[in-house]
Amino acid sequence: MAPGLVETGKPEVVTSELSLQPPQAAESWLDALKPVPTDEIFALLGEYLKDPHPDKVNLSVGVYRTADSKPWVLSSVAKAEDKLVQEKSEARHEYLPIAGDVKFLEQARDLSLGFNKQTPEEDKKRTVSVQTISGSGANHVGAVFLAKYLKPKNIWMSNPTWGNHHAIWDAASSDIKQRFYPYYDNATRSLDFDGMVKTLDAEAQAGDAILLQACAHNPTGLDPTHEQWKIIADLCERKRIFPFFDMAYQGFASGSIAEDSWAIRYFFKEKPNLDMFIAQSFSKNFGLYGQRVGALHFVLSKPDPTANAAVFTHLCNIIRGEYSMAPSGGAAIVKTILADPELTSDWHADLDVMSGRIKLARQLLYDELKKLKTPGTWEHIVNQNGMFSYVGLTPAQVSFVKEKHHVYMLQSARASISGLNPSNAAHVAKAIDDSVREVK
Ligand code: LMR
């Protein structure tokens, strides 16, 4: 029994000398807990929302916006929602299995790996899929699994990478060292592919894991070419490094599902002796940001039913202990679209709309900077790919564009391109132009 409690469970009256002393200021274990910096992306979004300035521009978080700066419910998504409402399935609010919705997971796997009716069963048996809380959740479950069972010494990440990759791997394990391969060459504003390969060749060890972004690299907008991906695949194979693909923008980057998952499909077909993870998000390509729709696929180097079952049960075990199972609503929308050829073709048209507008927005900004004869080179803005541009401003210049012109981008000068439109591109270009001329 706990001291101070009598058998009835009521507090015992204790009349020791100690209890007559005035209460001491208690020391708490929380005294040692210092606040950590809040996530930069969402903190900046908060600042933007509070800014009353009429000409403010939001280039912070990676979300799609229309040419009128509005959120967009994809037309395919709106139709699927109508269909689901009409169906009024009585099971629509039931629990999903721990692993998630089986049909949705098959569709997600087929989308990422390019499987179709002709795909041999043996290929399908090389995969294990679970539903996750979008891409962050997929990264997290995969990281926890690797930390427990592969136990890599190092997780290699591009320098720079998406800020949340650090938090996810910090949370997964304090034993795995986060190491960085060169990725962005500031001088040329291009991919430092030689630096990447040289570093990994020299320093990565067998059993390490490497995070690779399948397309539309966040934050730089720079992706390897097909030839470069082949070299990366050879390197993973030669050095026995575990590839962990993060794919948050399939179809959103180029408009083509196949092109944006080219690297993943290449690894699957051409490097069958590699196990790998694929973390898949449906936030951007279906515009379902708040629905948290995602999947994690483990690819086995060979069809091995025993290993397959073991991986599956361990992934389910992690999921059950953390959030029991993923939510069903957003996944039902994706499933409805992918199960219906007409809705799927609407979705492809939606992808063209989004990727097309982003490319146009890049051009808009580039043209305005050209008009202003802004010192420096700006071709990289049109050459980069996907949701973001690494504009190439110093942190002081980024602060200047925010303070003086109310244009919000990350300190690294990562700009979420879809925040640009015909009405604000000139304003953003002027802000950049001023910063380059006035802040050295
Ligand atoms: C971003 O990088 O802005 C998006 O992927 C949103 C997020 O979760 O960070």
Side-chain angles (χ1 to χ4, degrees):
M1 191 169 48
L5 285 183
V6 289
E7 243 161 356
T8 57
K10 288 188 190 135
E12 190 183 353
V13 181
V14 183
T15 51
S16 72
E17 226 174 277
L18 201 64
S19 67
L20 300 174
Q21 302 295 317
Q24 303 286 311
E27 276 184 23
S28 162
W29 58 278
L30 289 173
D31 294 344
L33 197 62
K34 301 290 172 248
V36 289
T38 48
D39 177 81
E40 187 196 2
I41 297 169
F42 284 90
L44 190 64
L45 176 62
E47 270 188 67
Y48 164 82
L49 292 171
K50 275 198 227 136
D51 184 347
H53 200 276
D55 296 331
K56 65 181 179 177
V57 181
N58 181 17
L59 308 180
S60 63
V61 66
V63 290
Y64 181 76
R65 288 291 177 260
T66 63
D68 315 322
S69 295
K70 298 254 165 44
W72 190 45
V73 177
L74 274 56
S75 63
S76 53
V77 167
K79 287 182 195 165
E81 282 176 320
D82 287 347
K83 200 168 167 186
L84 286 166
V85 167
Q86 275 160 27
E87 272 169 22
K88 264 205 173 135
S89 157
E90 63 183 12
R92 66 191 182 280
H93 299 309
E94 290 297 287
Y95 289 127
L96 288 180
I98 292 171
D101 184 309
V102 177
K103 176 81 191 146
F104 160 77
L105 286 170
E106 277 174 15
Q107 293 167 327
R109 175 202 64 192
D110 294 355
L111 207 61
S112 58
L113 288 161
F115 288 177
N116 53 37
K117 288 201 177 78
Q118 280 77 52
T119 302
E121 275 310 302
E122 291 302 281
D123 279 0
K124 294 186 181 162
K125 287 187 190 149
R126 284 181 56 200
T127 63
V128 180
S129 302
V130 289
Q131 195 177 326
T132 56
I133 310 286
S134 198
S136 300
N139 273 280
H140 171 73
V141 172
V144 171
F145 179 87
L146 292 187
K148 279 177 138 180
Y149 306 113
L150 177 67
K151 300 187 184 13
K153 218 167 163 192
N154 304 301
I155 170 73
W156 289 91
M157 301 177 185
S158 58
N159 181 15
T161 192
W162 179 45
N164 207 23
H165 281 146
H166 305 298
I168 286 169
W169 280 87
D170 274 347
S173 165
S174 47
D175 295 333
I176 302 171
K177 209 160 163 209
Q178 293 183 21
R179 304 278 306 273
F180 303 97
Y181 54 85
Y183 197 78
Y184 180 71
D185 180 351
N186 198 28
T188 57
R189 291 175 180 170
S190 61
L191 179 64
D192 181 5
F193 186 69
D194 287 347
M196 170 181 183
V197 171
K198 254 191 216 139
T199 301
L200 290 167
D201 234 339
E203 294 177 41
Q205 302 175 22
D208 282 357
I210 181 171
L211 255 179
L212 297 164
Q213 296 189 37
C215 62
H217 184 268
N218 181 359
T220 65
L222 296 169
D223 294 326
T225 62
H226 291 183
E227 288 316 303
Q228 289 170 334
W229 275 120
K230 290 182 187 170
I231 295 169
I232 298 168
D234 286 345
L235 193 141
C236 290
E237 187 179 44
R238 190 174 66 252
K239 305 269 312 181
R240 308 222 322 277
I241 315 174
F242 182 99
F244 193 135
F245 275 101
D246 185 4
M247 180 160 62
Y249 297 92
Q250 190 183 7
F252 185 97
S254 68
S256 155
I257 293 295
E259 177 52 34
D260 289 348
S261 62
W262 189 92
I264 287 177
R265 295 176 185 189
Y266 178 84
F267 272 63
F268 183 87
K269 281 205 202 88
E270 304 301 329
K271 300 292 167 197
N273 51 345
L274 282 177
D275 299 317
M276 63 178 178
F277 260 135
I278 304 161
Q280 195 179 13
S281 164
F282 293 87
S283 298
K284 329 279 177 179
N285 51 6
F286 282 83
L288 290 169
Y289 304 94
Q291 293 288 348
R292 316 312 292 141
V293 192
L296 176 69
H297 311 285
F298 188 91
V299 174
L300 294 148
S301 51
K302 54 181 182 304
D304 173 345
T306 314
N308 191 306
V311 171
F312 181 72
T313 52
H314 281 283
L315 290 176
C316 288
N317 198 36
I318 294 168
I319 289 170
R320 177 65 169 147
E322 295 208 0
Y323 56 93
S324 278
M325 73 277 304
S328 59
I333 295 172
V334 172
K335 186 168 73 168
T336 305
I337 293 172
L338 296 178
D340 178 331
E342 216 172 288
L343 286 179
T344 302
S345 100
D346 287 344
W347 175 55
H348 288 153
D350 292 338
L351 288 171
D352 281 339
V353 169
M354 293 192 289
S355 56
R357 205 193 88 65
I358 298 242
K359 285 190 189 112
L360 218 65
R362 290 182 180 280
Q363 192 66 45
L364 274 176
L365 179 60
Y366 175 74
D367 291 346
E368 292 294 342
L369 288 166
K370 279 290 197 225
K371 251 193 246 165
L372 292 170
K373 298 197 172 39
T374 307
T377 56
W378 301 99
E379 281 72 22
H380 59 280
I381 293 178
V382 273
N383 293 337
Q384 292 160 345
N385 186 29
M387 184 76 103
F388 304 109
S389 172
Y390 229 37
V391 176
L393 299 181
T394 63
Q397 289 166 338
V398 169
S399 300
F400 175 90
V401 298
K402 183 174 86 175
E403 302 312 328
K404 183 138 186 250
H405 296 274
H406 305 266
V407 172
Y408 289 74
M409 62 179 86
L410 302 192
Q411 273 292 291
S412 59
R414 186 199 85 166
S416 179
I417 285 295
S418 116
L420 288 166
N421 58 47
S423 326
N424 66 19
H427 171 67
V428 172
K430 178 76 175 82
I432 294 175
D433 186 81
D434 274 2
S435 77
V436 171
R437 293 178 198 279
E438 289 181 35
V439 186
K440 292 297 163 211

Coordinates of all heavy atoms in Angstrom, one line a residue, residues 207-263:
G207 N 24.9 -1.6 -44.1 CA 23.9 -1.6 -43.0 C 23.4 -0.2 -42.7 O 22.4 -0.1 -42.0
D208 N 24.0 0.8 -43.2 CA 23.5 2.2 -43.1 C 22.2 2.3 -43.9 O 21.9 1.5 -44.8 CB 24.4 3.2 -43.6 CG 25.6 3.5 -42.6 OD1 25.5 2.9 -41.5 OD2 26.5 4.3 -42.9
A209 N 21.4 3.3 -43.6 CA 20.2 3.6 -44.4 C 20.4 5.0 -45.0 O 21.1 5.8 -44.5 CB 18.9 3.5 -43.5
I210 N 19.7 5.1 -46.2 CA 19.8 6.4 -46.8 C 18.4 6.9 -47.2 O 17.6 6.1 -47.8 CB 20.7 6.4 -48.1 CG1 20.8 7.7 -48.8 CG2 20.2 5.3 -49.1 CD1 21.8 7.8 -49.9
L211 N 18.1 8.1 -46.9 CA 16.8 8.8 -47.2 C 17.0 9.4 -48.6 O 17.9 10.2 -48.8 CB 16.5 9.9 -46.3 CG 15.4 9.7 -45.2 CD1 15.3 10.9 -44.4 CD2 14.1 9.3 -45.8
L212 N 16.1 9.0 -49.5 CA 16.1 9.5 -50.9 C 14.7 10.0 -51.2 O 13.7 9.3 -51.0 CB 16.5 8.4 -51.9 CG 17.8 7.7 -51.7 CD1 17.9 6.4 -52.5 CD2 18.9 8.7 -52.2
Q213 N 14.6 11.2 -51.7 CA 13.3 11.8 -52.1 C 13.1 11.4 -53.6 O 13.9 11.8 -54.4 CB 13.3 13.3 -51.9 CG 13.4 13.6 -50.4 CD 13.2 15.1 -50.1 OE1 12.3 15.7 -50.7 NE2 13.9 15.6 -49.1
A214 N 12.0 10.8 -53.8 CA 11.7 10.2 -55.1 C 11.6 11.2 -56.2 O 12.0 11.0 -57.4 CB 10.5 9.3 -55.1
C215 N 11.0 12.4 -55.9 CA 10.8 13.5 -56.9 C 10.5 14.7 -56.1 O 10.1 14.7 -55.0 CB 9.7 13.1 -57.8 SG 8.1 13.0 -57.0
A216 N 10.7 15.9 -56.9 CA 10.4 17.2 -56.3 C 11.0 17.4 -54.9 O 10.4 17.6 -53.9 CB 8.9 17.4 -56.2
H217 N 12.3 17.3 -54.9 CA 13.1 17.4 -53.7 C 12.7 18.6 -52.8 O 12.7 19.7 -53.3 CB 14.6 17.4 -54.0 CG 15.5 17.4 -52.8 ND1 15.9 18.5 -52.1 CD2 15.9 16.3 -52.0 CE1 16.7 18.2 -51.1 NE2 16.7 16.9 -51.0
N218 N 12.4 18.3 -51.6 CA 12.0 19.3 -50.6 C 13.2 19.5 -49.7 O 13.6 18.6 -49.0 CB 10.8 18.8 -49.8 CG 10.3 19.8 -48.8 OD1 10.9 20.9 -48.6 ND2 9.2 19.5 -48.1
P219 N 13.9 20.6 -49.6 CA 13.5 22.0 -50.1 C 14.1 22.5 -51.4 O 13.7 23.6 -51.8 CB 14.0 22.9 -49.0 CG 15.3 22.2 -48.6 CD 15.1 20.7 -48.8
T220 N 14.9 21.8 -52.1 CA 15.7 22.4 -53.2 C 15.0 22.4 -54.5 O 15.4 23.2 -55.4 CB 17.1 21.8 -53.3 OG1 16.9 20.4 -53.8 CG2 17.9 21.8 -52.1
G221 N 14.1 21.5 -54.8 CA 13.5 21.4 -56.1 C 14.4 20.8 -57.1 O 14.2 21.0 -58.3
L222 N 15.5 20.2 -56.6 CA 16.5 19.6 -57.5 C 16.4 18.1 -57.4 O 16.6 17.5 -56.4 CB 17.9 20.1 -57.2 CG 18.1 21.5 -57.3 CD1 19.5 21.9 -56.7 CD2 18.2 21.9 -58.8
D223 N 16.2 17.4 -58.6 CA 16.2 15.9 -58.6 C 17.3 15.4 -59.4 O 17.7 16.0 -60.4 CB 14.8 15.5 -59.2 CG 13.7 15.8 -58.3 OD1 13.8 15.8 -57.1 OD2 12.6 16.1 -58.9
P224 N 17.8 14.2 -59.1 CA 18.8 13.5 -59.9 C 18.1 13.2 -61.3 O 16.9 12.9 -61.4 CB 19.1 12.2 -59.2 CG 18.7 12.5 -57.8 CD 17.6 13.4 -57.8
T225 N 19.0 13.1 -62.3 CA 18.5 12.6 -63.6 C 18.3 11.1 -63.6 O 18.9 10.5 -62.6 CB 19.5 13.0 -64.7 OG1 20.7 12.3 -64.4 CG2 19.7 14.5 -64.8
H226 N 17.8 10.5 -64.6 CA 17.7 9.0 -64.6 C 19.1 8.4 -64.5 O 19.3 7.4 -63.8 CB 17.0 8.5 -65.9 CG 15.5 8.9 -66.0 ND1 14.7 8.5 -67.0 CD2 14.7 9.6 -65.1 CE1 13.5 8.9 -66.8 NE2 13.5 9.6 -65.7
E227 N 20.0 9.0 -65.3 CA 21.4 8.4 -65.3 C 22.0 8.5 -63.9 O 22.7 7.6 -63.4 CB 22.3 9.1 -66.3 CG 22.0 8.8 -67.7 CD 21.7 7.3 -68.0 OE1 22.6 6.5 -67.7 OE2 20.6 6.9 -68.5
Q228 N 21.7 9.6 -63.2 CA 22.2 9.8 -61.8 C 21.6 8.8 -60.9 O 22.2 8.3 -60.0 CB 22.1 11.2 -61.4 CG 23.0 12.2 -62.1 CD 22.7 13.6 -61.9 OE1 21.6 14.0 -61.6 NE2 23.7 14.5 -62.0
W229 N 20.3 8.6 -61.0 CA 19.6 7.6 -60.2 C 20.2 6.2 -60.3 O 20.3 5.5 -59.4 CB 18.1 7.5 -60.5 CG 17.2 8.6 -59.8 CD1 16.4 9.5 -60.4 CD2 17.1 8.7 -58.4 NE1 15.8 10.3 -59.5 CE2 16.2 9.8 -58.2 CE3 17.6 8.1 -57.3 CZ2 15.8 10.3 -57.0 CZ3 17.2 8.6 -56.0 CH2 16.3 9.6 -55.9
K230 N 20.6 5.9 -61.6 CA 21.2 4.6 -61.8 C 22.5 4.5 -61.0 O 22.8 3.4 -60.4 CB 21.5 4.4 -63.3 CG 20.2 4.2 -64.1 CD 20.6 3.9 -65.6 CE 19.4 3.9 -66.4 NZ 19.7 3.9 -67.9
I231 N 23.2 5.6 -60.9 CA 24.5 5.5 -60.2 C 24.2 5.4 -58.7 O 24.9 4.7 -58.0 CB 25.3 6.8 -60.5 CG1 25.7 6.8 -62.0 CG2 26.5 7.0 -59.6 CD1 26.3 8.1 -62.5
I232 N 23.2 6.1 -58.2 CA 22.8 6.0 -56.8 C 22.4 4.6 -56.5 O 22.7 4.0 -55.4 CB 21.7 7.0 -56.4 CG1 22.1 8.4 -56.7 CG2 21.2 6.8 -55.0 CD1 21.0 9.5 -56.6
A233 N 21.6 4.0 -57.4 CA 21.2 2.6 -57.2 C 22.4 1.6 -57.1 O 22.5 0.8 -56.2 CB 20.2 2.1 -58.3
D234 N 23.3 1.8 -58.0 CA 24.6 1.0 -58.0 C 25.3 1.2 -56.6 O 25.8 0.2 -56.1 CB 25.5 1.4 -59.1 CG 25.1 0.9 -60.5 OD1 24.2 0.1 -60.5 OD2 25.6 1.5 -61.5
L235 N 25.3 2.4 -56.2 CA 26.1 2.7 -55.0 C 25.4 2.0 -53.8 O 26.1 1.4 -52.9 CB 26.1 4.2 -54.8 CG 27.0 4.8 -53.7 CD1 27.6 6.1 -54.3 CD2 26.3 5.1 -52.4
C236 N 24.1 2.1 -53.7 CA 23.4 1.4 -52.6 C 23.7 -0.1 -52.6 O 23.9 -0.7 -51.6 CB 21.9 1.6 -52.7 SG 21.4 3.3 -52.4
E237 N 23.7 -0.6 -53.8 CA 23.9 -2.1 -54.0 C 25.3 -2.4 -53.6 O 25.5 -3.3 -52.8 CB 23.6 -2.5 -55.4 CG 23.7 -3.9 -55.7 CD 23.4 -4.2 -57.2 OE1 23.9 -3.5 -58.0 OE2 22.6 -5.1 -57.4
R238 N 26.3 -1.7 -54.1 CA 27.7 -2.0 -53.9 C 28.0 -1.8 -52.4 O 28.7 -2.6 -51.8 CB 28.5 -1.0 -54.7 CG 30.0 -1.3 -54.7 CD 30.8 -0.5 -55.7 NE 30.8 0.9 -55.3 CZ 30.2 1.9 -55.9 NH1 29.4 1.7 -57.0 NH2 30.3 3.2 -55.5
K239 N 27.5 -0.7 -51.8 CA 27.9 -0.4 -50.4 C 26.9 -1.1 -49.4 O 27.1 -1.0 -48.2 CB 27.8 1.1 -50.1 CG 28.7 1.9 -51.0 CD 30.1 2.1 -50.6 CE 30.3 2.6 -49.2 NZ 31.7 2.8 -48.8
R240 N 25.9 -1.8 -49.9 CA 24.9 -2.4 -49.1 C 24.2 -1.4 -48.1 O 24.2 -1.6 -46.9 CB 25.4 -3.6 -48.3 CG 26.2 -4.6 -49.3 CD 25.9 -6.0 -49.0 NE 25.8 -6.5 -47.7 CZ 26.9 -6.7 -46.9 NH1 28.1 -6.6 -47.3 NH2 26.6 -7.1 -45.6
I241 N 23.7 -0.4 -48.7 CA 23.0 0.7 -47.9 C 21.5 0.5 -48.2 O 21.1 0.2 -49.3 CB 23.3 2.1 -48.4 CG1 24.9 2.2 -48.6 CG2 22.8 3.1 -47.4 CD1 25.3 3.6 -49.2
F242 N 20.7 0.6 -47.1 CA 19.2 0.4 -47.2 C 18.6 1.7 -47.8 O 18.6 2.7 -47.1 CB 18.7 0.0 -45.9 CG 17.2 -0.2 -45.8 CD1 16.8 -1.6 -45.9 CD2 16.3 0.8 -45.8 CE1 15.4 -1.8 -45.9 CE2 14.9 0.5 -45.8 CZ 14.5 -0.8 -45.8
P243 N 17.9 1.6 -49.0 CA 17.3 2.8 -49.5 C 15.9 3.0 -48.8 O 15.1 2.1 -48.8 CB 17.1 2.6 -51.0 CG 17.7 1.2 -51.2 CD 17.9 0.5 -49.9
F244 N 15.7 4.2 -48.4 CA 14.4 4.6 -47.8 C 13.8 5.8 -48.6 O 14.3 6.9 -48.5 CB 14.6 5.1 -46.4 CG 13.3 5.2 -45.5 CD1 13.3 4.7 -44.2 CD2 12.2 5.8 -46.0 CE1 12.1 4.8 -43.5 CE2 11.0 5.9 -45.3 CZ 11.0 5.4 -44.0
F245 N 12.9 5.4 -49.5 CA 12.4 6.5 -50.4 C 11.2 7.2 -49.7 O 10.3 6.6 -49.1 CB 11.8 5.8 -51.7 CG 12.8 5.6 -52.8 CD1 13.4 4.4 -53.0 CD2 13.3 6.7 -53.5 CE1 14.3 4.2 -53.9 CE2 14.2 6.5 -54.5 CZ 14.8 5.2 -54.7
D246 N 11.3 8.5 -49.9 CA 10.2 9.4 -49.4 C 9.5 10.0 -50.6 O 10.2 10.7 -51.4 CB 10.7 10.5 -48.5 CG 9.6 11.3 -47.9 OD1 8.4 11.0 -48.1 OD2 9.9 12.3 -47.1
M247 N 8.3 9.6 -50.9 CA 7.6 10.1 -52.1 C 6.4 10.9 -51.7 O 5.3 10.3 -51.5 CB 7.3 9.0 -53.0 CG 6.6 9.4 -54.3 SD 6.7 8.3 -55.7 CE 5.7 6.9 -55.0
A248 N 6.5 12.2 -51.7 CA 5.4 13.0 -51.2 C 4.7 13.8 -52.4 O 3.7 14.4 -52.2 CB 5.9 14.1 -50.2
Y249 N 5.2 13.6 -53.6 CA 4.7 14.4 -54.7 C 4.5 13.7 -56.0 O 4.6 14.2 -57.1 CB 5.8 15.6 -55.0 CG 5.9 16.5 -53.8 CD1 6.9 16.2 -52.9 CD2 5.1 17.6 -53.6 CE1 7.1 17.1 -51.8 CE2 5.2 18.4 -52.5 CZ 6.2 18.1 -51.6 OH 6.4 19.0 -50.5
Q250 N 4.1 12.4 -55.9 CA 4.0 11.6 -57.1 C 2.9 12.2 -58.0 O 1.7 12.3 -57.6 CB 3.7 10.1 -56.8 CG 3.7 9.2 -58.0 CD 3.4 7.8 -57.8 OE1 2.9 7.5 -56.7 NE2 3.5 7.0 -58.7
G251 N 3.2 12.5 -59.2 CA 2.2 13.1 -60.2 C 2.1 14.6 -60.0 O 1.7 15.3 -61.0
F252 N 2.5 15.1 -58.9 CA 2.3 16.5 -58.6 C 3.5 17.3 -59.3 O 3.3 18.4 -59.7 CB 2.3 16.8 -57.1 CG 2.1 18.2 -56.7 CD1 0.8 18.6 -56.3 CD2 3.1 19.1 -56.7 CE1 0.5 19.9 -55.9 CE2 2.8 20.4 -56.3 CZ 1.6 20.8 -55.9
A253 N 4.6 16.6 -59.3 CA 5.8 17.3 -59.8 C 5.8 17.5 -61.3 O 5.9 18.6 -61.8 CB 7.1 16.5 -59.4
S254 N 5.7 16.4 -62.0 CA 5.8 16.4 -63.5 C 4.4 16.3 -64.1 O 4.3 16.6 -65.3 CB 6.6 15.3 -64.0 OG 5.9 14.1 -63.8
G255 N 3.4 15.9 -63.4 CA 2.1 15.7 -64.0 C 2.0 14.2 -64.3 O 0.9 13.7 -64.6
S256 N 3.1 13.5 -64.3 CA 3.1 12.0 -64.7 C 3.4 11.2 -63.5 O 4.5 11.3 -62.9 CB 4.1 11.8 -65.8 OG 4.6 10.5 -65.8
I257 N 2.5 10.2 -63.3 CA 2.7 9.3 -62.2 C 4.0 8.4 -62.4 O 4.7 8.2 -61.5 CB 1.5 8.3 -62.2 CG1 0.2 9.1 -61.8 CG2 1.7 7.1 -61.3 CD1 0.2 9.6 -60.4
A258 N 4.1 8.0 -63.6 CA 5.3 7.1 -63.9 C 6.6 7.8 -63.8 O 7.6 7.3 -63.2 CB 5.1 6.5 -65.3
E259 N 6.6 9.0 -64.4 CA 7.9 9.8 -64.3 C 8.3 10.1 -62.9 O 9.5 9.9 -62.5 CB 7.7 11.1 -65.1 CG 9.0 12.0 -65.1 CD 10.3 11.3 -65.5 OE1 10.2 10.4 -66.4 OE2 11.3 11.7 -65.0
D260 N 7.4 10.5 -62.1 CA 7.7 10.9 -60.7 C 8.1 9.7 -59.8 O 8.7 9.9 -58.8 CB 6.5 11.7 -60.0 CG 6.4 13.0 -60.7 OD1 7.3 13.5 -61.4 OD2 5.4 13.7 -60.4
S261 N 7.7 8.5 -60.2 CA 8.2 7.3 -59.4 C 9.2 6.5 -60.2 O 9.4 5.3 -59.9 CB 7.0 6.5 -59.0 OG 6.4 5.9 -60.1
W262 N 9.8 7.1 -61.2 CA 10.8 6.4 -62.0 C 11.9 5.8 -61.2 O 12.2 4.6 -61.4 CB 11.5 7.4 -63.0 CG 12.3 6.7 -64.1 CD1 11.9 6.3 -65.3 CD2 13.7 6.4 -63.9 NE1 12.9 5.6 -65.9 CE2 14.0 5.7 -65.1 CE3 14.6 6.5 -62.9 CZ2 15.3 5.2 -65.3 CZ3 15.9 6.0 -63.2 CH2 16.2 5.4 -64.3
A263 N 12.5 6.5 -60.2 CA 13.6 6.0 -59.5 C 13.2 4.8 -58.7 O 13.9 3.8 -58.6 CB 14.1 7.1 -58.5

